Amino acid sequence: MLRRALRLRLGPCLSGRGLGTYRRGSTLDWDGKVSEIKKKIQSIFPGGAWNPLYDTSHLPPERSDVVIVGGVLGLSVAYWLKRLEKQQGAIRVLVVERDHTYARASTVLSVGGIRQQFSLPQNVQLSLFSAEFLRNINEYLAVVDDPPLDLQFNPSGYLLLASEEGAAIMERNVKMQRQEGAKVCLMSPEQLQKKFPWINTEGVALASYGLENEGWFDPWCLLQGLRRKLQSMGVLFCQGEVTRFISSSSHMETASGEQLTLKRIHEVHVKMDHSQEFQPVECAIVVNAAGAWSGQIAELAGVGNGPPGTMQGTKLPVEPRKRYVYLWHCPQGPGLEAPLVADPSGAYFRREGLGNNYVGSCSEEEPDPGNLEVDYDFFQEKVWPRLAQRVPAFETLKVTDR
Amino acid sequence: MLKYIIPTIMLMPLTWLSKNNMIWVNSTAHSLLISFTSLLLMNQFGDNSLNFSLLFFSDSLSTPLLILTMWLLPLMLMASQHHLSKENLTRKKLFITMLISLQLFLIMTFTAMELILFYILFEATLIPTLIIITRWGNQTERLNAGLYFLFYTLAGSLPLLVALIYIQNTVGSLNFLMLQYWVQPVHNSWSNVFMWLACMMAFMVKMPLYGLHLWLPKAHVEAPIAGSMVLAAVLLKLGGYGMLRITLILNPMTDFMAYPFIMLSLWGMIMTSSICLRQTDLKSLIAYSSVSHMALVIVAILIQTPWSYMGATALMIAHGLTSSMLFCLANSNYERIHSRTMILARGLQTLLPLMATWWLLASLTNLALPPTINLIGELFVVMSTFSWSNITIILMGVNMVITALYSLYMLIMTQRGKYTYHINNISPSFTRENALMSLHILPLLLLTLNPKIILGPLY
């Protein structure tokens, strides 16, 4: 009682430690109190559905110009949209992503390689541009006051091995790649043995080795860099799942008199995780960049509803496919100059880090894409023999847990 | 006056008691008929006013504004049909009731004889407008927009109440007719300075003056189409009308008190025109264009010459029709593309050629092409400001150039060029939309033939 009286009297003039309880006023948990008061008021009044002070910060905005569904490619689309707009804030972009931790996205679970050795010229051009983007990523994705990105780009190149049957195709492809501007060289088995002594060149007729702009990098870092930059450019992010597209259709007639019904999406329903709540977002354009699940999104939009065999009846031919990737340790392995080696039998591997670890798999079988379980027996039966045949040092490898 | 007020009030039971599929037809048709009766007001005799009663009168200043207001109601109803089609019936009727009550207050405001009655109705128009903006607006920012709109205009007009009561106590009456004859010169003293400011600020905020214009882009952009139309066409003119009336009793203080506001307006019209060039949002562009045109009106009213008054009134009517038409055009775009960004909908001329005609006419009248009444208004204002001070012609000239620039920018951006690939399946123009545009542009073009009816009391 005396202390209380002391406090009351000395309160205004003392700033001392004895009044520590008053200092705690700044951590009063205001939000919690406010929501409690709201709940009390609500319980007094007869329940109504109208709740104007409801917190909607987790919902996407009611209106946006472009809604992008998807992972790293979606972020890239958003980046270029914002980058190329004539004025800041001209286009409002909303990126909808089902999982903000990207735990199950293709991006972060991938091997993270980049190569120019494709068979389509368009792929080669895209890849060359991407390589230049990745090299200059700190100029493209620079954010004020944030540390620069370190993609850990290892430009070790890709080494594709071809057997007798594939040699002619490989030669043709390399010629096309060189025309597009990629720096690829063809090697015979002798040259291969001289350059990479740890390879067993049995069964290899030709090899193509990318000299520049090829290798692997950390895709998670790219993802985070893109997200950071987009947030600074004013793109809105929302964690939710697209459940519905509302579209308006109109009947039109083509020049040849054929009747068509053209649909136009004007609203997207985004559902929040673990709840039934959804927000209709009115939009002008929807970009479907959902990667492996873009087939499902296209189905929501009505692509593929039509008589089978016609263009209206064809679904978007994208399906999720699962591949296993394994990480192992091998002290006698190929070493620092090892590129990403792809065997004609389908197995591939690359170096991971500096501690004699390797990442690789076999791209042949297609396990069930429903879950993300890894089958280690597959490694024992299918992958290891092929790896061991190509690189004898891999006989003594040891798989570490993924 | 009752011949306008009673039918307008009765429009409300008409909407509530009509059959469900007839509410739009009934309300539009009847409001159109009522708007035709407003033409009777044109029969003014002499150069005095037409007095209906102790409360209401109309003279050649309020007549064109009144006709504009009443003409706009059927147009607003036609424009709102599409975006309200998904609401339930009660909401639709409520919306129409808001529009009708706004119309009622506006009719009474423009014809009020007693200045306190004018003030009460001036404030009363805020309420339906606020409800329209915040309830039926499009985006979450509409709450912010409504707040800005309400508090800017309210804060500006509260001193007006004080000033009006003071004038009532000193002069004896606020009846407009008697005020004209009992007005005494207002001498320069501090209290008179504040009284001048109090009288004018309400209308300055409403016009809006350049420094107090922040509410306008927000309110115009976030309002639904009917809200934008009535805001741009009529509510801004309330400010102009009020200024024209109140400057009568504020002489000769206006001669020197007006300087800062004239400077702000002259500078502001160039600034807002330049901002228009950098806008990506279509409605925002039209909103800033409104600020720019109204700045001309403010300058004209404050320099108080007969030519400038004529220019101000002509400009008010011309701008009302033009701005309203531009908002309707922007809305027709929005209903198809669901976005107001200009670059998302380009090259519409190839897809909707008739709508392109309306776009062309609206843009041409916006940039004051001769011989439209827009040009007559601007020209009178330019001439009178030139005689007031020679240098203003440079500013006015720059403004006219920039106005032409952004009007053509808007036209070319939305109409010309290759259309964006994703708008190849937009629905063609509805007859309702074409009728809406033609009903806007027809009075504008016809007035070119007889502009003396909108030139106000000093003609």
Side-chain angles (χ1 to χ4, degrees):
Chain A
M1 168 109 149
L2 183 61
R3 290 176 73 179
R4 208 187 304 152
L6 255 177
R7 273 194 202 137
L8 282 174
R9 234 182 303 145
L10 300 175
C13 47
L14 251 195
S15 65
R17 319 142 208 141
L19 300 176
T21 46
Y22 284 77
R23 195 58 67 75
R24 256 196 277 127
S26 56
T27 56
L28 247 186
D29 185 27
W30 217 193
D31 287 328
K33 286 252 162 83
V34 168
S35 57
E36 266 180 64
I37 295 173
K38 267 196 267 183
K39 279 200 199 116
K40 281 199 188 131
I41 295 177
Q42 263 184 325
S43 61
I44 296 172
F45 291 117
W50 188 59
N51 197 352
L53 303 172
Y54 166 51
D55 174 29
T56 53
S57 54
H58 56 281
L59 290 176
E62 280 174 23
R63 187 153 278 120
S64 164
D65 289 327
V66 184
V67 176
I68 304 184
V69 187
V72 72
L73 272 182
L75 291 182
S76 172
V77 170
Y79 171 72
W80 286 108
L81 263 179
K82 275 305 209 181
R83 169 82 184 246
L84 296 174
E85 67 184 3
K86 294 260 167 45
Q87 229 181 298
Q88 210 193 21
I91 310 186
R92 282 164 305 181
V93 183
L94 171 73
V95 175
V96 177
E97 171 58 56
R98 190 159 57 170
D99 180 12
H100 263 186
T101 60
Y102 293 98
R104 302 164 63 87
S106 319
T107 313
V108 292
L109 299 175
S110 75
V111 173
I114 176 169
R115 62 181 162 110
Q116 270 88 40
Q117 299 179 41
F118 292 101
S119 43
L120 277 181
Q122 288 85 357
N123 279 344
V124 180
Q125 284 166 353
L126 284 174
S127 183
L128 277 172
F129 177 76
S130 314
E132 188 256 336
F133 181 87
L134 290 175
R135 272 191 197 278
N136 296 327
I137 197 160
N138 279 316
E139 280 167 25
Y140 282 105
L141 298 186
V143 179
V144 178
D145 282 346
D146 268 352
L149 287 174
D150 177 22
L151 272 190
Q152 286 152 22
F153 184 41
N154 279 300
S156 301
Y158 264 61
L159 180 69
L160 297 181
L161 307 171
S163 53
E164 285 291 336
E165 305 91 44
I169 307 175
M170 178 174 269
E171 203 171 326
R172 211 173 350 137
N173 286 345
V174 170
K175 200 156 116 196
M176 181 271 297
Q177 287 150 20
R178 282 228 186 97
Q179 261 176 339
E180 295 295 332
K183 301 205 173 38
V184 187
C185 79
L186 279 174
M187 295 201 289
S188 64
E190 296 78 34
Q191 289 170 320
L192 197 61
Q193 189 73 57
K194 221 178 354 168
K195 190 156 171 72
F196 301 116
W198 37 264
I199 274 196
N200 172 13
T201 56
E202 172 194 332
V204 174
L206 200 58
S208 74
Y209 180 45
L211 294 171
E212 205 181 277
N213 286 336
E214 289 194 1
W216 57 88
F217 61 96
D218 182 14
W220 173 253
C221 189
L222 176 66
L223 197 69
Q224 290 309 309
L226 272 172
R227 271 183 76 93
R228 216 178 51 179
K229 177 72 178 166
L230 285 178
Q231 262 168 350
S232 81
M233 284 202 287
V235 170
L236 295 163
F237 283 89
C238 166
Q239 175 163 12
E241 190 180 333
V242 170
T243 44
R244 229 181 133 189
F245 289 118
I246 311 273
S247 43
S248 50
S249 33
S250 51
H251 297 281
M252 304 245 168
E253 203 176 288
T254 61
S256 51
E258 192 190 318
Q259 294 281 344
L260 280 184
T261 313
L262 288 178
K263 265 168 54 154
R264 182 189 183 78
I265 299 177
H266 63 85
E267 215 174 63
V268 179
H269 281 191
V270 179
K271 181 174 103 72
M272 300 294 119
D273 285 338
H274 306 298
S275 84
Q276 289 297 319
E277 202 181 355
F278 71 92
Q279 165 79 295
V281 180
E282 188 173 340
C283 60
I285 302 180
V286 175
V287 176
N288 179 10
W293 290 270
S294 45
Q296 290 173 1
I297 300 278
E299 235 179 308
L300 279 178
V303 173
N305 291 341
T310 62
M311 180 148 94
Q312 284 100 317
T314 328
K315 295 191 197 297
L316 190 69
V318 176
E319 276 167 23
R321 295 280 162 86
K322 186 162 89 162
R323 298 274 183 274
Y324 298 125
V325 178
Y326 305 95
L327 173 70
W328 65 85
H329 175 76
C330 181
Q332 294 95 23
L336 282 181
E337 86 284 359
L340 196 151
V341 182
D343 200 53
S345 61
Y348 65 92
F349 73 93
R350 70 160 167 91
R351 176 180 57 80
E352 166 79 25
L354 300 168
N356 282 329
N357 291 322
Y358 299 88
V359 161
S361 179
C362 163
S363 55
E364 201 187 78
E365 214 184 83
E366 292 173 16
D368 168 35
N371 56 13
L372 287 181
E373 294 294 316
V374 183
D375 187 8
Y376 287 102
D377 294 329
F378 180 73
F379 184 76
Q380 292 287 98
E381 290 155 31
K382 298 278 168 53
V383 187
W384 194 15
R386 298 189 185 145
L387 285 177
Q389 198 234 342
R390 191 51 55 199
V391 181
F394 276 159
E395 303 245 333
T396 59
L397 64 78
K398 181 166 138 45
V399 178
T400 53
D401 261 326
R402 249 219 125 245
Chain B
M1 252 342 272
L2 274 183
K3 63 179 173 287
Y4 309 115
I5 298 180
I6 299 270
T8 312
I9 295 180
M10 294 311 285
L11 276 176
M12 288 197 245
L14 177 70
T15 36
W16 282 96
L17 298 174
S18 292
K19 280 199 297 202
N20 295 352
N21 52 354
M22 290 292 279
I23 48 172
W24 292 110
V25 177
N26 276 342
S27 47
T28 315
H30 285 84
S31 49
L32 199 60
L33 289 174
I34 295 173
S35 73
F36 289 145
T37 59
S38 66
L39 292 170
L40 287 171
L41 291 166
M42 305 278 277
N43 188 16
Q44 304 266 333
F45 18 76
D47 40 23
N48 209 340
S49 46
L50 181 62
N51 299 320
F52 294 107
S53 72
L54 280 177
L55 288 173
F56 295 115
F57 83 121
S58 79
D59 70 351
S60 36
L61 171 58
S62 54
T63 305
L65 288 168
L66 203 57
I67 300 176
L68 177 66
T69 313
M70 299 179 78
W71 182 244
L72 221 61
L73 182 59
L75 267 49
M76 286 195 278
L77 290 169
M78 280 204 285
S80 318
Q81 273 185 17
H82 185 262
H83 79 87
L84 286 178
S85 55
K86 292 190 197 58
E87 304 245 359
N88 70 4
L89 199 61
T90 316
R91 291 257 164 82
K92 279 193 233 189
K93 291 183 179 170
L94 214 60
F95 186 80
I96 300 177
T97 311
M98 285 296 124
L99 287 180
I100 295 169
S101 61
L102 183 60
Q103 169 88 322
L104 184 67
F105 293 140
L106 282 169
I107 294 173
M108 295 205 284
T109 318
F110 280 124
T111 54
M113 186 180 268
E114 183 83 35
L115 282 180
I116 293 279
L117 180 66
F118 170 79
Y119 177 80
I120 294 173
L121 294 163
F122 181 79
E123 297 297 310
T125 56
L126 291 182
I127 298 175
T129 318
L130 181 70
I131 296 178
I132 292 175
I133 296 178
T134 47
R135 173 64 189 82
W136 282 281
N138 282 328
Q139 290 176 266
T140 43
E141 288 91 9
R142 70 183 186 267
L143 301 172
N144 199 13
L147 222 64
Y148 262 71
F149 168 68
L150 182 70
F151 284 109
Y152 260 75
T153 30
L154 208 57
S157 55
L158 281 176
L160 178 62
L161 183 62
V162 177
L164 285 178
I165 295 178
Y166 167 74
I167 296 172
Q168 164 96 347
N169 282 341
T170 49
V171 177
S173 161
L174 279 175
N175 193 325
F176 191 68
L177 294 176
M178 293 195 269
L179 215 49
Q180 290 174 329
Y181 301 111
W182 284 357
V183 82
Q184 282 151 8
V186 175
H187 298 294
N188 186 10
S189 71
W190 270 110
S191 52
N192 281 338
V193 164
F194 283 115
M195 190 196 72
W196 193 96
L197 280 176
C199 288
M200 292 297 242
M201 287 322 281
F203 306 117
M204 296 289 190
V205 171
K206 205 77 172 162
M207 283 298 288
L209 182 66
Y210 175 59
L212 305 161
H213 69 290
L214 281 181
W215 63 270
L216 189 130
K218 288 189 203 279
H220 275 70
V221 166
E222 305 301 334
I225 178 62
S228 288
M229 282 167 77
V230 77
L231 266 172
V234 188
L235 287 175
L236 263 47
K237 296 11 177 215
L238 266 183
Y241 175 76
M243 261 167 66
L244 281 167
R245 294 282 186 223
I246 210 101
T247 44
L248 202 68
I249 59 174
L250 294 172
N251 282 318
M253 273 201 76
T254 318
D255 295 339
F256 52 88
M257 279 299 297
Y259 273 111
F261 300 102
I262 297 179
M263 294 307 137
L264 261 180
S265 294
L266 284 172
W267 185 236
M269 73 186 178
I270 300 180
M271 280 292 107
T272 42
S273 304
S274 316
I275 291 178
C276 280
L277 285 171
R278 291 284 297 164
Q279 288 297 324
T280 50
D281 185 340
L282 192 51
K283 274 181 101 165
S284 193
L285 197 150
I286 305 171
Y288 274 106
S289 138
S290 280
V291 181
S292 173
H293 287 278
M294 285 297 111
L296 273 172
V297 176
I298 296 180
V299 174
I301 297 175
L302 286 175
I303 60 179
Q304 292 188 299
T305 66
W307 278 76
S308 73
Y309 271 24
M310 285 198 275
T313 42
L315 202 49
M316 284 202 285
I317 304 297
H319 173 259
L321 286 167
T322 310
S323 241
S324 176
M325 183 171 183
L326 282 171
F327 274 116
C328 287
L329 288 167
N331 185 55
S332 75
N333 236 10
Y334 176 78
E335 281 171 4
R336 290 176 170 75
I337 316 285
H338 291 277
S339 166
R340 293 194 308 251
T341 317
M342 274 203 288
I343 59 176
L344 283 179
R346 298 196 297 262
L348 289 173
Q349 185 161 11
T350 38
L351 297 171
L352 305 172
L354 188 53
M355 199 52 82
T357 314
W358 305 128
W359 271 102
L360 179 69
L361 286 173
S363 300
L364 290 178
T365 50
N366 197 23
L367 58 90
L369 191 75
T372 59
I373 46 178
N374 303 64
L375 178 75
I376 293 174
E378 283 203 30
L379 206 56
F380 280 26
V381 175
V382 171
M383 285 193 291
S384 43
T385 49
F386 178 66
S387 72
W388 178 77
S389 157
N390 293 5
I391 309 176
T392 51
I393 201 159
I394 304 175
L395 296 167
M396 295 277 174
V398 171
N399 181 48
M400 288 187 86
V401 169
I402 305 184
T403 306
L405 279 175
Y406 71 70
S407 300
L408 289 175
Y409 169 65
M410 180 174 61
L411 179 71
I412 294 177
M413 191 64 128
T414 48
Q415 302 304 113
R416 314 283 167 152
K418 177 125 177 32
Y419 53 85
T420 44
Y421 67 95
H422 64 92
I423 60 170
N424 55 356
N425 58 352
I426 51 179
S427 38
S429 315
F430 300 113
T431 311
R432 170 183 63 86
E433 289 172 348
N434 284 328
L436 191 61
M437 307 309 162
S438 54
L439 283 177
H440 271 109
I441 200 72
L442 220 52
L444 205 56
L445 295 176
L446 288 175
L447 277 172
T448 316
L449 300 173
N450 191 8
K452 68 174 190 285
I453 51 181
I454 55 167
L455 285 179
L458 282 130
Y459 174 69

